[in-house]
Amino acid sequence: QTRGRVLFRTIVAVGLAIFVLQLPGIRSATAATGPGAPTNLTVNGMSPATGVDPDGISFAWRIHDDRPGAIQVGYRVLVAKRPTTDPKSSAVVWDSHLVTSGQQAFVLYTGPRLSGDTQYWWTVSTRGTGGSSSPFARASSFVTIPHVRDWRAQWVAPGALPPPSDQYTYVRTTARLHASPITRATAFVAAAHQYQLWVNGHRAAAGPSFSYPDEQYVEATDVTALLRPGRANGFGVLHHWYGAGQGRPASRPGLLAEISIVHRDGTHEVIGSDGTWRERPAEWVPGAPRNEEGDFTEVVDARAQPVGWSTAAFDEHAWRPVAVLGPAGVAPFTHLVAQRTRIASRVIRPKSVHRLASGAVVADYGAVHAASPIVRFRHGAAGRTITIRAGFALDPDGSVSPTHENQGTDMSYRYTQRGGRETFASFGYLAFQYLEVDDPHETLTADQLAIATRHSAMPDDHAATFNSSDSKLDAVWALTRRSALYVSQEQFVDTPTREKGQFLLDSYDDSLATTRAFGEQNLTWQALRDFARSQARYWPDGRINVVYPNGDGARDIPDNTERYPDWVWQYFLATGDRATLEALAPVATRVASYVAAAIDPTTGLVTKLPGGGEDYLYGAVDWPPPMRYGYDMATVARTTVNALAVETFDRAARMDEVLGDSTAASRWRGRRDALVDAMNARLRRADGVYVDGLEADGTMSLHASQQANAFALATGIVPDERLDAVGAYVAKLGVALGPDNGLVLLRALHVAGRDGVVRRVLTDASGPGWAHIVATGGSFTWETWAPEDVDGDSTSHGWGSSALAAYPETFLGVVTTVGAGPPTGARLELVEPREGPARVAGMVPTVSGPTRVTWTHTGRDVHLLLHVPANASVALRLRATSLKRVTESGHAVRDSHGIRIERSASGTVQLTVGAGSYSFGITGS
């Protein structure tokens, strides 16, 4: 046994050495004398920060301080008109001076009002303990969007008026630029519905997010490298309008485009859309609807393509002038919102290419991607029409199936060739794994069958990592991670294939995954703001639209509305963004009031929560209907709706507490406690198991679903003495709820102390669940555990990705917390996990930087490698019979820098761990 422990400690020492060597920028603690210059500077979560709202700016940075337990106690921010780190420079427009604060993210600009369409530079210095300040960071720039009064461009209306249901229009102009070298050129574009910006024959940008016209998003792009000073330059927009539909509200065709160009000699030129710009129809001809959601197939006649249309040399004299609507602010485009999301795209080739007996060519991209096909022909024949089909599955003859797993969507394209060398590139995107080109009359290689994958640009595609000794667990992590990525587009989407609208429950689930997997904040920030606007637009009683924006106006699902307050709270936990919490807390409070108004005074339960209708009346519970697994939908006081109401009241209380309103917090907490008491009195059987709700006559339902009991556990309703019994009941049912509520199931089991069951649920491929998707070759989470083609069920649906959020808390033991004091860096709880794999390692993103955790269990001994970033702290709880059984780097914990002993009793050692890298050993735990 002694020899085994020596070997264990040797392995640990080697592991620690490798762990420390892998940490970027880690220096000897004895060599560090103070903080270094901050790094990772961002503005509004963006870097580069092109196109920020001049009236809404926040800064963030990473602290560079390698001393054990390093924290930030103050900062100083400078904003200037040119790059400088000198507070005395005449270029400085705002000096925050030294601010005593540990806050390092969402630090608001509070200086003089900034100009629109202007480039600024900013820098920051941080102060650490001991009074030493860092050097200023290298100045980083940001560019503001124009104020409404600053726009030179005018809104124009491309295409026919009134517009057909689906039209593509080219709009262009030419301008000779000043000869002085260009120091900054920014294109600002707003469009209803979508656009591609082209400059001198190169595609420069595409977007924007869908919006109502009075909430129109404007996107900014740096185009400096595409311009040619002293020469004529071509500017063009390919504009797409396709009416109201899923995710697309009623509007009218509109385009506002402005290219702002600053030269070294100070000359400022502006090229803006106006009546001098000219237009003509593009080569897309009207296509049939892809599905009932309002999307259209792309039918392209390349013979009508104006080759070179966006270059300066193109002859546009035959094009007609574009119609002018008026200046920025004209109805219906009365307001512009700076868009914070961007699309990241990558061109990939197929893993394999096969030619069928029919002459068709089928490309396999190895997994499902959200992408746009790009097919390059070398020997096109004028007038030859080629059909291209995307899909998820192959028919027995090897062709791409037009019916199997296609979600009731026509996933085809039709392309009529121009002749010679030419390229088909789709405007829109779909999710698919396979692409078939019906007889192309030439040999197509992998290089000719590319796709451009697309997803919202993330701060770091690998901000979070997870790997363990359980390969199945790792495979499900990978499945959920890539699913969350590909449903993240300009906005969260239901699925990249069928319904490209931003749905409330889908977005909530997707957001929980993306914030943890990628450190994402802006897509969530935008979605929360969008749904808040839906309350103001449609619901004076406090409801939230089920999809927003959308073409069918006011539409809600009651228990989806109940998710919104928790979503705001989870965003705050992940980011510490107090300003957004202050802005959205009233929206969440109105949701809580809407729910409270539905409490029946006789039973004390939320009853007939208003909203929905048909399948959604009083709450959807689960979706699609087969995923309800027999839930008693005749109930009027549903257990799931009441459990979410408890959570809603709890979140309202927590927000008020953070914002300093203790009276309101106490009121909401009282409502929460009263509802918990009512649920435990009226919705439980004698054995403590929860039924589905109360029937209209006030009697308890005879059905006790997994949903009812999982929601009760996950929202903290189950009394401590009944946790084991209710947990056992939920575990006995396996997976008996849908992917949309998958995280609820995993959290319920975790709350009940059944992490071994969480692992089994995630890795069991024999029944419904994530591992079954992997085992059947799936690479994207599904809408339902048993998709049916006849129902159009989606096999590229993101809401199952929320299971990823269970990984840090269950297998790494990491939970983000919030203190009651002023904003600081990240605060985490780390609890030794139970019933997990023998080895598990991962990286968790925080506002302070990545936290790295590795747990290794060898017999009764446990080893923990932990890296805490500067300005972060971890409340660590270990299972140990005494403090003597816990060591750090081979020494007594009491002798370790950066660690404070909080408690050692009842088989638990509690420590507060500051910044640094640690190697804990727990013997005989």
Side-chain angles (χ1 to χ4, degrees), residues 145-187:
I145 67 168
H147 293 293
V148 171
R149 66 177 182 272
D150 297 332
W151 284 86
R152 307 270 193 89
Q154 292 188 307
W155 277 98
V156 298
L161 291 175
S165 57
D166 185 35
Q167 70 173 356
Y168 295 80
T169 308
Y170 287 119
V171 184
R172 59 156 281 128
T173 194
T174 302
R176 180 172 294 278
L177 301 183
H178 185 66
S180 176
I182 296 170
T183 58
R184 191 260 296 181
T186 310

Side-chain angles (χ1 to χ4, degrees), residues 417-437:
Q417 294 178 330
R418 183 179 65 250
R421 286 182 172 270
E422 55 191 301
T423 299
F424 165 75
S426 72
F427 186 97
Y429 69 94
L430 295 167
F432 59 91
Q433 177 172 341
Y434 303 99
L435 191 70
E436 178 180 326
V437 182

Side-chain angles (χ1 to χ4, degrees), residues 144-304:
T144 58
I145 67 168
H147 293 293
V148 171
R149 66 177 182 272
D150 297 332
W151 284 86
R152 307 270 193 89
Q154 292 188 307
W155 277 98
V156 298
L161 291 175
S165 57
D166 185 35
Q167 70 173 356
Y168 295 80
T169 308
Y170 287 119
V171 184
R172 59 156 281 128
T173 194
T174 302
R176 180 172 294 278
L177 301 183
H178 185 66
S180 176
I182 296 170
T183 58
R184 191 260 296 181
T186 310
F188 304 100
V189 185
H193 286 114
Q194 292 183 310
Y195 76 93
Q196 291 179 359
L197 173 67
W198 291 72
V199 178
N200 290 325
H202 299 278
R203 179 172 147 169
S209 293
F210 290 117
S211 60
Y212 288 83
D214 56 347
E215 301 165 357
Q216 185 67 51
Y217 282 106
V218 58
E219 204 171 35
T221 306
D222 186 338
V223 295
T224 307
L226 298 178
L227 298 184
R228 301 175 299 196
R231 300 169 62 182
N233 287 254
F235 303 93
V237 171
L238 173 56
H239 181 269
H240 183 209
W241 161 264
Y242 52 130
Q246 202 67 276
R248 300 190 309 278
S251 181
R252 63 164 300 167
L255 171 67
L256 181 70
E258 183 166 296
I259 299 90
S260 176
I261 305 158
V262 179
H263 296 266
R264 186 181 297 168
D265 67 0
T267 302
H268 185 193
E269 297 180 283
V270 175
I271 314 299
S273 53
D274 59 21
T276 68
W277 288 41
R278 304 180 76 82
E279 70 171 27
R280 64 151 285 174
E283 60 269 23
W284 278 260
V285 298
R290 285 200 186 278
N291 47 42
E292 61 183 14
E293 307 302 334
D295 209 353
F296 293 87
T297 59
E298 293 187 42
V299 180
V300 179
D301 187 345
R303 295 170 297 180

